[in-house]
Each structure stands twice: as structure tokens, then as C-alpha cells.
Amino acid sequence: MLIQYLFVFAQVHEDFRIPELLSTSELYGFEIKFPERLEDRDTSRPFMLLELESEEHARLLSRRCILIRYVCEFYARGKSYEEVHEHNRARSSLWEKYIEDTSFKFLVTAFNHTIPQWRQRDVVESFSYMDFRGKIDMKNPDITLTVFEEYPDKHGTTREKTEGDGQFDEVWFGRLIEVGSARPLVKTFDVKKRVYYGNTSMEAEISLLMANQTLASPGKLIYDPFVGTGSMAYTTAHFGAFVLGSDIDGRQMRGKIKPPGIIRAAAQYGVASRIVDLCTFDVTQNPWRCGDLFDAIITDPPYGVRAGAKRLGRKSNRPPREAPAPAHVERPDDQPYIPPVKPYELSELARDLVILARYMLKPRGRLVFFLPTVTEEYEELDVHAMLCDGMELVANSLQNFGSWGRRLITIRKTTAEKYPPPIFDPVRAVTEAMDVHVPAHKDFREKYFQGFKKSDFSIEDVRRG
Amino acid sequence: MVRLITHNLLACHAKGCTSNNFPLQFQDVSIELRDADFNADFLRGFLPRLEWPALVGAARQLGDTSLPAEQPDMIDDEFLQKLHHVLLEIHVEEGAMVCPNCKHVYPISNGIPNMLLAEHEIG
């Protein structure tokens, strides 16, 4: 028997909501039944009724999902209070057990509105037919009954504070089970309060959402091949996983003082012992002895705006040096030798990452990474064209910045077959790309700095064509 | 850092260096011991991926002789505790790892190994 629970979500990153719920339920091994009617699944609304097997499952979600604010046992909903009361009376079997001797309080609140005190009292009194005989306890009640009024978004209008009071779209009523306890982690991991960060550090909330997509939990081993200043290492380690990080540029991981910056920040969060190791290398020239190692790969690849992706090799067509480069010229920043690097084009990097993940992940392991996209040109095929045999798309959530956005892509390895290590061959990639789909994120850096305008060249093409 | 679990996963990847390129040999190392979370399931899950002789060799090179030369058939708690210590609690902070085949030196500074290849070493 499934039970209905009323979930109240923070109204941010709406596109990440359902993937986060699904990942968390997969992690703990239970099912969520989502509402059938499309309007009841609309993530622009903060309320959603989810059906679960038990209250325990509701609690697991509220302790892990960053976007959950409250979880309640659902009693009633309605377009008016008359409807709510009628619905609520019909479902009295859910709350009868609290009538005799349970201390309680009411919480009356609204979304997109502030309800004046006097009407909050009226609302509470309108539930008097429930006839609760326990004492009212505002500090430590046994149960909290919650009323949520849902108002339309009044963004951008000028109005009196209580104007439109009572003109809600819907009222929701239930018994509070838990206040979402994962949501405060957004403050805990606030980048501004972190002892070590850089200009490419990922904001806390997104780092946490990413960590949840990896199904991080104690005993898992998770790898970030572009670890940078470690933003996602802290959140995945917080959920108990061991983390390995690598980066082509060791300075990002180290900072200027000892111990390394990532270790200092990890210590601040009490997870330093779970940062297994940090290594300096180019992921296209990596020293991993074998594949089939990681439960997840989580990463925010550099896409060229604040920091460009680099790989070993020379730019342009200059011939490489014949003789070995001077091997150990001491440099002031403790890097004994920095080989030449060249830019790493984004669509090439993204496709390589999927192939690398297929080799490095254990079966059912997940690859979680951000892909920046050009809003107007994006099509779903851009992401599907990146996939290869044995890798399937689990989630694709957009964080929209207007003319561009970034998509959090979650891919699962579905195969137990062994694949050879990837070759990362740029030459072959170019020839192969001739007859395959060109994604909108190709040459993202150039498009970004052109302000996402169509280049003159393509306008010419259109005229001719 | 560098812990022996990581050491057990790294091979020399210089161009053309494809045999006898593992395990890397420690050189002039200074080590620190630090406690880590014990997780028996993690260790059991990781055992099949370990190159046992390489792990025992590296541990002995760092002065830890607690592990048997042959991987035991019986995995008990006492063994897992020893394995945990060797894999996760010994940190090589300074020194280098050297490829037994091509002699490439991977320096370790401040606990971070530099595994970058020089221009003539990439494929």
C-alpha cells in the first residue's frame, strides 16, 4: 500500500528536482510514485504529492535531497478551505489517532505571499472540527499540522503587503514529518566561508546536487579528473565516499601554502581522511593501471570561459622537439617541469569523457558532469550523440543563464563488458566528426565570447543556400 | 598522500613503456601515518582489484611488514584491519616514484605526485 506524502521544495534549480529524488530513492533502494496528472508534476510549483511505501522512505529523502524543505503526511488539498475541510473529514482515519491525547500546534504559511496574523488564527480555528483534545504546545508539540496556501507568482508587481490575501490557487494540509535536513548543507559548504577556493570553484548548492547524482555513500570510490579546487570532492566525501582527484594543473589543488588547499578545505568539513589522493596529470595521458575502478566519476570540465581545458601536446603545427626537453629545470612554484599544453575542444572533451568513464567505471557506475550549451541551438541529440554502447542517459537538468546554460548530465554504465582504455585521438576524432552530428556545445568558448551571435560566415551561407 | 592504495593503481604511462612499468619504485621518501575511516565493505570490494605482490612490496619498502606475502584465502577482521592500515593510513609526503622499466621519475611534493609526461613521452 502506497501512502501519499506532501513534499514542499525550495523553488530553485527546478530541473534538478526529480533527478535528485530518483537518485536518492535508487541509492536507498525504494520506489517513488509520481503524480499522474501533468499539472501535479509541474516543477514550477513548490508542492508535489509523492507516493511512498513508508514514512521511513519520506525521511530518507528529506535527509538527503538538497531541494526538499518539508515533508508532511498528506491529509487534504482544495481550491478553497471548504474543499480542504471536506477532503480532510473524508480522510479522518489518517488523523483520528491524534484526537485523544497528542500535543500539537498549527503552522499556517504561504508560498509567494504573507498571511496576516489575524487570518492565520481564523485558519487554525476553521480546523476545530477535528476536535483535538491534547494541549497546544508551541515549543515541543508531538505533532505539527501544516497549512500551505499556494499563490501565483506576483513577481515584478507593486502591491500592499497583504493585498490579494486569500486569493490563493490551492491550499495543502498535512502533518509535518520532517523539515528537510539536507538543505542547510548549502550554508555549510558555502564557498565564501571555505578556507580554500578559486575563481572556478562550483557553488555549494550545485556541488551538493551533483554529489547526490553520483549516489555517493560510505565505501564508494569516486574520481574527479578535473578536480581543480575540489568543490565536488568535499560534498561527495561528506556523503561518505572516498575521493580521488587529478588535474593537469597542480597549482589549483595545492594553493600557495602547505598542506595542499584541497586538504585544508576538506579538513574544515571533517572529510580530509576521505580525500584518498590528488595527482597531477592530464586525463588524456593518464597513469591508471586498469579500468573498472570507480563507483562514480564527478566533474566540472573546464569549458573555456574562466579556464580553458588543456591537454598535453603543442598548439599549432609546430613540429615537436626532437630532443628531450630539459627534464628538471627547477621552477619557483615547485613544478619541476611543465610540458606544453594545447586547448581541448569542449565537444571532443565531452565525448572522450564518456568513453573514459565506460572504461574506468564499475558496472552501474555513474558519470556526472556539466555540459555548457547554447540555449537557442541546443537539441536533445547533442547529448544523445555523446553516448556510446554500454552508457545510458539517466538525467539531463538545465541550469539556465539566458543565452547559454549548463546541463548536469548523469550517465550510467549499463554494461559489465570490458572495454579497452580510450585512445583520446584528436586526429581520428576530427575525421570521424565529419559525418556525425555537430552539437551546439562545439566550440563553446568561441560562441561565448561572440555573445552567441551567429557568425557572419553562417549568415552568408544562409543567403547563398 | 600518496597512499598505497593509489600507488597500487598507478603505472608508468610514458610513450612505449608498456611492460615492467608497474609497480613504481619509491625513492627517498618521507612518510606520515594518519588515521582513516575503516570500512570493511570497501576493503572487501577493493581486494579483487589489488595487485597483491606490488602492495606487499611497497609496504615493505616503507617499513611495514604486517601483510603476508601471499594473499590469504580467509578474510577476517584482523586481516582487514592490517590491510586498511597499509592501504589508507601510510602517506608518502615527499620523494619520488620511479618506473622500473624506463626510469622516468615521478616526483612527489607535498603529498601530490606529479605524473605529467614530458613532450617526447606522450603518444
PDB file of all heavy atoms in Angstrom, chain A residues 139-158:
ATOM      1  N   LYS A 139       6.141  25.046  21.575  1.00  0.00           N
ATOM      2  CA  LYS A 139       7.587  24.780  21.554  1.00  0.00           C
ATOM      3  C   LYS A 139       7.927  23.349  21.165  1.00  0.00           C
ATOM      4  O   LYS A 139       8.726  23.121  20.268  1.00  0.00           O
ATOM      5  CB  LYS A 139       8.186  25.103  22.931  1.00  0.00           C
ATOM      6  CG  LYS A 139       8.334  26.595  23.150  1.00  0.00           C
ATOM      7  CD  LYS A 139       9.535  26.903  24.034  1.00  0.00           C
ATOM      8  CE  LYS A 139       9.742  28.412  24.142  1.00  0.00           C
ATOM      9  NZ  LYS A 139       9.367  28.952  25.466  1.00  0.00           N
ATOM     10  N   ASN A 140       7.343  22.391  21.875  1.00  0.00           N
ATOM     11  CA  ASN A 140       7.677  20.989  21.599  1.00  0.00           C
ATOM     12  C   ASN A 140       6.436  20.136  21.398  1.00  0.00           C
ATOM     13  O   ASN A 140       6.173  19.229  22.173  1.00  0.00           O
ATOM     14  CB  ASN A 140       8.506  20.409  22.757  1.00  0.00           C
ATOM     15  CG  ASN A 140       9.937  20.872  22.693  1.00  0.00           C
ATOM     16  OD1 ASN A 140      10.590  20.725  21.657  1.00  0.00           O
ATOM     17  ND2 ASN A 140      10.412  21.459  23.767  1.00  0.00           N
ATOM     18  N   PRO A 141       5.683  20.407  20.365  1.00  0.00           N
ATOM     19  CA  PRO A 141       4.468  19.617  20.175  1.00  0.00           C
ATOM     20  C   PRO A 141       4.807  18.210  19.688  1.00  0.00           C
ATOM     21  O   PRO A 141       5.860  18.007  19.082  1.00  0.00           O
ATOM     22  CB  PRO A 141       3.729  20.394  19.089  1.00  0.00           C
ATOM     23  CG  PRO A 141       4.814  21.069  18.315  1.00  0.00           C
ATOM     24  CD  PRO A 141       5.925  21.351  19.277  1.00  0.00           C
ATOM     25  N   ASP A 142       3.891  17.262  20.006  1.00  0.00           N
ATOM     26  CA  ASP A 142       4.082  15.914  19.460  1.00  0.00           C
ATOM     27  C   ASP A 142       3.917  15.939  17.946  1.00  0.00           C
ATOM     28  O   ASP A 142       4.650  15.263  17.225  1.00  0.00           O
ATOM     29  CB  ASP A 142       3.062  14.940  20.069  1.00  0.00           C
ATOM     30  CG  ASP A 142       3.317  14.711  21.550  1.00  0.00           C
ATOM     31  OD1 ASP A 142       4.491  14.788  21.959  1.00  0.00           O
ATOM     32  OD2 ASP A 142       2.353  14.485  22.301  1.00  0.00           O
ATOM     33  N   ILE A 143       2.941  16.702  17.475  1.00  0.00           N
ATOM     34  CA  ILE A 143       2.764  16.811  16.017  1.00  0.00           C
ATOM     35  C   ILE A 143       2.549  18.269  15.612  1.00  0.00           C
ATOM     36  O   ILE A 143       2.059  19.080  16.403  1.00  0.00           O
ATOM     37  CB  ILE A 143       1.578  15.950  15.495  1.00  0.00           C
ATOM     38  CG1 ILE A 143       0.256  16.410  16.110  1.00  0.00           C
ATOM     39  CG2 ILE A 143       1.806  14.478  15.735  1.00  0.00           C
ATOM     40  CD1 ILE A 143      -0.960  15.829  15.429  1.00  0.00           C
ATOM     41  N   THR A 144       2.957  18.585  14.400  1.00  0.00           N
ATOM     42  CA  THR A 144       2.721  19.910  13.824  1.00  0.00           C
ATOM     43  C   THR A 144       1.823  19.746  12.606  1.00  0.00           C
ATOM     44  O   THR A 144       2.152  18.986  11.697  1.00  0.00           O
ATOM     45  CB  THR A 144       4.049  20.559  13.401  1.00  0.00           C
ATOM     46  OG1 THR A 144       4.896  20.666  14.550  1.00  0.00           O
ATOM     47  CG2 THR A 144       3.829  21.944  12.809  1.00  0.00           C
ATOM     48  N   LEU A 145       0.692  20.419  12.622  1.00  0.00           N
ATOM     49  CA  LEU A 145      -0.207  20.369  11.469  1.00  0.00           C
ATOM     50  C   LEU A 145       0.093  21.580  10.601  1.00  0.00           C
ATOM     51  O   LEU A 145       0.205  22.699  11.101  1.00  0.00           O
ATOM     52  CB  LEU A 145      -1.663  20.375  11.951  1.00  0.00           C
ATOM     53  CG  LEU A 145      -1.978  19.126  12.784  1.00  0.00           C
ATOM     54  CD1 LEU A 145      -3.202  19.318  13.646  1.00  0.00           C
ATOM     55  CD2 LEU A 145      -2.144  17.911  11.888  1.00  0.00           C
ATOM     56  N   THR A 146       0.274  21.329   9.324  1.00  0.00           N
ATOM     57  CA  THR A 146       0.744  22.416   8.468  1.00  0.00           C
ATOM     58  C   THR A 146      -0.277  22.737   7.383  1.00  0.00           C
ATOM     59  O   THR A 146      -0.842  21.842   6.755  1.00  0.00           O
ATOM     60  CB  THR A 146       2.065  22.036   7.776  1.00  0.00           C
ATOM     61  OG1 THR A 146       1.909  20.748   7.211  1.00  0.00           O
ATOM     62  CG2 THR A 146       3.211  22.014   8.747  1.00  0.00           C
ATOM     63  N   VAL A 147      -0.497  24.043   7.216  1.00  0.00           N
ATOM     64  CA  VAL A 147      -1.371  24.531   6.165  1.00  0.00           C
ATOM     65  C   VAL A 147      -0.523  25.388   5.238  1.00  0.00           C
ATOM     66  O   VAL A 147       0.137  26.324   5.690  1.00  0.00           O
ATOM     67  CB  VAL A 147      -2.507  25.400   6.750  1.00  0.00           C
ATOM     68  CG1 VAL A 147      -3.442  25.870   5.638  1.00  0.00           C
ATOM     69  CG2 VAL A 147      -3.257  24.653   7.828  1.00  0.00           C
ATOM     70  N   PHE A 148      -0.499  25.047   3.956  1.00  0.00           N
ATOM     71  CA  PHE A 148       0.240  25.854   2.981  1.00  0.00           C
ATOM     72  C   PHE A 148      -0.735  26.439   1.974  1.00  0.00           C
ATOM     73  O   PHE A 148      -1.479  25.689   1.334  1.00  0.00           O
ATOM     74  CB  PHE A 148       1.247  24.991   2.204  1.00  0.00           C
ATOM     75  CG  PHE A 148       2.304  24.339   3.042  1.00  0.00           C
ATOM     76  CD1 PHE A 148       2.197  23.003   3.400  1.00  0.00           C
ATOM     77  CD2 PHE A 148       3.422  25.061   3.457  1.00  0.00           C
ATOM     78  CE1 PHE A 148       3.182  22.389   4.165  1.00  0.00           C
ATOM     79  CE2 PHE A 148       4.418  24.449   4.208  1.00  0.00           C
ATOM     80  CZ  PHE A 148       4.289  23.116   4.570  1.00  0.00           C
ATOM     81  N   GLU A 149      -0.734  27.747   1.846  1.00  0.00           N
ATOM     82  CA  GLU A 149      -1.525  28.376   0.786  1.00  0.00           C
ATOM     83  C   GLU A 149      -0.580  28.663  -0.381  1.00  0.00           C
ATOM     84  O   GLU A 149       0.499  29.199  -0.191  1.00  0.00           O
ATOM     85  CB  GLU A 149      -2.167  29.673   1.291  1.00  0.00           C
ATOM     86  CG  GLU A 149      -3.232  29.428   2.358  1.00  0.00           C
ATOM     87  CD  GLU A 149      -3.894  30.708   2.851  1.00  0.00           C
ATOM     88  OE1 GLU A 149      -3.545  31.809   2.367  1.00  0.00           O
ATOM     89  OE2 GLU A 149      -4.766  30.603   3.732  1.00  0.00           O
ATOM     90  N   GLU A 150      -1.013  28.306  -1.567  1.00  0.00           N
ATOM     91  CA  GLU A 150      -0.167  28.471  -2.759  1.00  0.00           C
ATOM     92  C   GLU A 150      -0.721  29.607  -3.618  1.00  0.00           C
ATOM     93  O   GLU A 150      -1.823  29.501  -4.143  1.00  0.00           O
ATOM     94  CB  GLU A 150      -0.147  27.160  -3.554  1.00  0.00           C
ATOM     95  CG  GLU A 150       0.725  27.215  -4.799  1.00  0.00           C
ATOM     96  CD  GLU A 150       0.663  25.905  -5.605  1.00  0.00           C
ATOM     97  OE1 GLU A 150      -0.058  24.975  -5.200  1.00  0.00           O
ATOM     98  OE2 GLU A 150       1.328  25.843  -6.654  1.00  0.00           O
ATOM     99  N   TYR A 151       0.062  30.684  -3.739  1.00  0.00           N
ATOM    100  CA  TYR A 151      -0.360  31.857  -4.520  1.00  0.00           C
ATOM    101  C   TYR A 151       0.380  31.888  -5.854  1.00  0.00           C
ATOM    102  O   TYR A 151       1.490  31.383  -5.955  1.00  0.00           O
ATOM    103  CB  TYR A 151      -0.062  33.143  -3.739  1.00  0.00           C
ATOM    104  CG  TYR A 151      -0.988  33.353  -2.568  1.00  0.00           C
ATOM    105  CD1 TYR A 151      -0.808  32.629  -1.392  1.00  0.00           C
ATOM    106  CD2 TYR A 151      -2.034  34.262  -2.642  1.00  0.00           C
ATOM    107  CE1 TYR A 151      -1.653  32.808  -0.305  1.00  0.00           C
ATOM    108  CE2 TYR A 151      -2.888  34.451  -1.559  1.00  0.00           C
ATOM    109  CZ  TYR A 151      -2.699  33.718  -0.403  1.00  0.00           C
ATOM    110  OH  TYR A 151      -3.537  33.887   0.653  1.00  0.00           O
ATOM    111  N   PRO A 152      -0.233  32.535  -6.846  1.00  0.00           N
ATOM    112  CA  PRO A 152       0.503  32.698  -8.102  1.00  0.00           C
ATOM    113  C   PRO A 152       1.690  33.627  -7.899  1.00  0.00           C
ATOM    114  O   PRO A 152       1.698  34.448  -6.971  1.00  0.00           O
ATOM    115  CB  PRO A 152      -0.518  33.309  -9.055  1.00  0.00           C
ATOM    116  CG  PRO A 152      -1.567  33.908  -8.177  1.00  0.00           C
ATOM    117  CD  PRO A 152      -1.574  33.127  -6.904  1.00  0.00           C
ATOM    118  N   ASP A 153       2.688  33.486  -8.745  1.00  0.00           N
ATOM    119  CA  ASP A 153       3.894  34.318  -8.669  1.00  0.00           C
ATOM    120  C   ASP A 153       3.543  35.766  -8.962  1.00  0.00           C
ATOM    121  O   ASP A 153       3.021  36.081 -10.034  1.00  0.00           O
ATOM    122  CB  ASP A 153       4.910  33.792  -9.703  1.00  0.00           C
ATOM    123  CG  ASP A 153       6.256  34.483  -9.563  1.00  0.00           C
ATOM    124  OD1 ASP A 153       6.388  35.354  -8.679  1.00  0.00           O
ATOM    125  OD2 ASP A 153       7.173  34.136 -10.338  1.00  0.00           O
ATOM    126  N   LYS A 154       3.794  36.657  -7.970  1.00  0.00           N
ATOM    127  CA  LYS A 154       3.457  38.067  -8.177  1.00  0.00           C
ATOM    128  C   LYS A 154       4.703  38.881  -8.491  1.00  0.00           C
ATOM    129  O   LYS A 154       4.733  40.086  -8.319  1.00  0.00           O
ATOM    130  CB  LYS A 154       2.762  38.615  -6.921  1.00  0.00           C
ATOM    131  CG  LYS A 154       1.354  38.067  -6.752  1.00  0.00           C
ATOM    132  CD  LYS A 154       0.718  38.551  -5.466  1.00  0.00           C
ATOM    133  CE  LYS A 154       0.795  37.484  -4.400  1.00  0.00           C
ATOM    134  NZ  LYS A 154       0.121  37.833  -3.146  1.00  0.00           N
ATOM    135  N   HIS A 155       5.705  38.180  -8.959  1.00  0.00           N
ATOM    136  CA  HIS A 155       6.987  38.815  -9.214  1.00  0.00           C
ATOM    137  C   HIS A 155       6.860  40.039 -10.101  1.00  0.00           C
ATOM    138  O   HIS A 155       6.178  39.997 -11.117  1.00  0.00           O
ATOM    139  CB  HIS A 155       7.928  37.797  -9.867  1.00  0.00           C
ATOM    140  CG  HIS A 155       9.355  38.196  -9.803  1.00  0.00           C
ATOM    141  ND1 HIS A 155      10.103  38.081  -8.646  1.00  0.00           N
ATOM    142  CD2 HIS A 155      10.163  38.749 -10.735  1.00  0.00           C
ATOM    143  CE1 HIS A 155      11.317  38.526  -8.874  1.00  0.00           C
ATOM    144  NE2 HIS A 155      11.374  38.947 -10.133  1.00  0.00           N
ATOM    145  N   GLY A 156       7.488  41.143  -9.703  1.00  0.00           N
ATOM    146  CA  GLY A 156       7.518  42.325 -10.558  1.00  0.00           C
ATOM    147  C   GLY A 156       6.326  43.250 -10.411  1.00  0.00           C
ATOM    148  O   GLY A 156       6.244  44.259 -11.098  1.00  0.00           O
ATOM    149  N   THR A 157       5.388  42.926  -9.527  1.00  0.00           N
ATOM    150  CA  THR A 157       4.257  43.836  -9.325  1.00  0.00           C
ATOM    151  C   THR A 157       4.451  44.602  -8.019  1.00  0.00           C
ATOM    152  O   THR A 157       5.108  44.125  -7.094  1.00  0.00           O
ATOM    153  CB  THR A 157       2.922  43.079  -9.258  1.00  0.00           C
ATOM    154  OG1 THR A 157       2.989  42.149  -8.165  1.00  0.00           O
ATOM    155  CG2 THR A 157       2.656  42.314 -10.535  1.00  0.00           C
ATOM    156  N   THR A 158       3.866  45.819  -7.958  1.00  0.00           N
ATOM    157  CA  THR A 158       3.912  46.598  -6.718  1.00  0.00           C
ATOM    158  C   THR A 158       2.576  46.400  -6.019  1.00  0.00           C
ATOM    159  O   THR A 158       1.535  46.430  -6.656  1.00  0.00           O
ATOM    160  CB  THR A 158       4.099  48.090  -7.019  1.00  0.00           C
ATOM    161  OG1 THR A 158       4.752  48.216  -8.270  1.00  0.00           O
ATOM    162  CG2 THR A 158       4.861  48.793  -5.936  1.00  0.00           C
TER     163      THR A 158
END
